[in-house]
Amino acid sequence: AQSVAQPEDQVNVAEGNPLTVKCTYSVSGNPYLFWYVQYPNRGLQFLLKYITGDNLVKGSYGFEAEFNKSQTSFHLKKPSALVSDSALYFCAVRAGFSGNTPLVFGKGTRLSVIA
Amino acid sequence: EPEVTQTPSHQVTQMGQEVILRCVPISNHLYFYWYRQILGQKVEFLVSFYNNEISEKSEIFDDQFSVERPDGSNFTLKIRSTKLEDSAMYFCASSEGASGISSYEQYFGPGTRLTVT
């Protein structure tokens, strides 16, 4: 069965500093990996995905993530954090790509960027 | 930009009552999903729906739950007799699913917070 682990409940970073939100996964077969962000009173917004190809994936709002197959990780990164990046971040995995394959989510990491 | 909408944003109900949560997926999407998030816990898959029938469901989705696409735009989740443990945020999602890997990206609504008292 697929699973996702986000080992940090909370990440605090100063504005302008680089940020990393960690994610590791477990899946049989090829992983399809996603990051979503949730702002207060909003739905889950798609940030980026890894399907195949380059291990470094670039997404919305300057975020990127690096797929590391040997470490089964897909950490989310941004070179310079903004206060507006403060939100709840979810990593998710799909084990297959038929249309009905559900996403399996991590428990989320709350990012707090301090001015 | 098209988006998934959900109503109501917050629903309070008494234990044993029936509730219907409503979703309007993105108009050209073919796959629909419900997920839920109990406070402080993971987002969990409930059910996926395609071509007017359930295509996959989790063990959470028992006989108390049902889904329906009553018309060309709405997608509903019904809980027949709510329990305290049904209190959660319920997210609807849709995906295009027409062709190609990128079409299976899921777009989420803002959620309905269900409180069962």
Side-chain angles (χ1 to χ4, degrees):
Chain A
Q2 304 92 271
S3 66
V4 173
Q6 292 181 246
E8 302 151 319
D9 291 335
Q10 174 97 26
V11 170
N12 298 318
V13 63
E15 188 175 31
N17 282 2
L19 70 87
T20 298
V21 182
K22 295 180 180 176
C23 171
T24 58
Y25 66 90
S26 174
V27 66
S28 54
N30 292 324
Y32 302 104
L33 295 155
F34 302 80
W35 276 100
Y36 284 82
V37 60
Q38 185 180 27
Y39 297 101
N41 302 314
R42 300 293 299 274
L44 298 167
Q45 295 181 36
F46 170 78
L47 272 182
L48 50 80
K49 66 178 181 281
Y50 171 81
I51 306 299
T52 187
D54 287 343
N55 289 342
L56 185 64
V57 178
K58 294 190 183 297
S60 307
Y61 313 120
F63 283 93
E64 57 190 29
E66 186 165 13
F67 171 64
N68 187 318
K69 187 172 184 177
S70 63
Q71 296 186 3
T72 61
S73 67
F74 190 57
H75 301 331
L76 181 70
K77 301 182 180 187
K78 187 172 182 180
S80 178
L82 300 172
V83 172
S84 57
D85 293 330
S86 299
L88 190 56
Y89 290 81
F90 292 94
C91 182
V93 67
R94 293 177 83 172
F97 241 89
S98 65
N100 60 351
T101 306
L103 289 166
V104 174
F105 284 88
K107 63 181 171 66
T109 298
R110 187 164 298 281
L111 173 67
S112 181
V113 182
I114 303 154
Chain B
E1 184 176 332
E3 56 183 19
V4 177
T5 59
Q6 291 185 243
T7 54
S9 57
H10 190 192
Q11 173 89 47
V12 181
T13 189
Q14 289 188 327
M15 195 167 51
Q17 295 297 306
E18 175 184 286
V19 294
I20 297 176
L21 310 182
R22 301 180 191 281
C23 168
V24 179
I26 294 173
S27 63
N28 64 332
H29 284 190
L30 302 177
Y31 290 89
F32 314 114
Y33 314 82
W34 283 101
Y35 292 81
R36 78 171 186 191
Q37 184 183 28
I38 295 172
L39 187 63
Q41 298 186 25
K42 296 182 179 185
V43 177
E44 302 171 293
F45 168 74
L46 291 178
V47 65
S48 59
F49 191 86
Y50 171 69
N51 200 26
N52 284 319
E53 61 183 25
I54 291 172
S55 52
E56 192 162 337
K57 61 182 180 179
S58 71
E59 63 274 12
I60 302 169
F61 194 87
D62 61 21
D63 292 343
Q64 292 297 312
F65 292 90
S66 62
V67 289
E68 192 177 33
R69 188 155 164 82
D71 53 42
S73 60
N74 289 286
F75 179 52
T76 62
L77 174 69
K78 182 193 289 186
I79 309 175
R80 264 179 267 282
S81 178
T82 50
K83 302 187 283 284
L84 293 176
E85 54 265 36
D86 293 328
S87 295
M89 180 73 90
Y90 288 80
F91 293 105
C92 174
S94 69
S95 63
E96 187 179 346
S99 62
I101 289 174
S102 63
S103 65
Y104 293 115
E105 189 175 301
Q106 294 182 19
Y107 295 81
F108 284 79
T112 293
R113 181 166 298 284
L114 176 65
T115 302
V116 183
T117 61

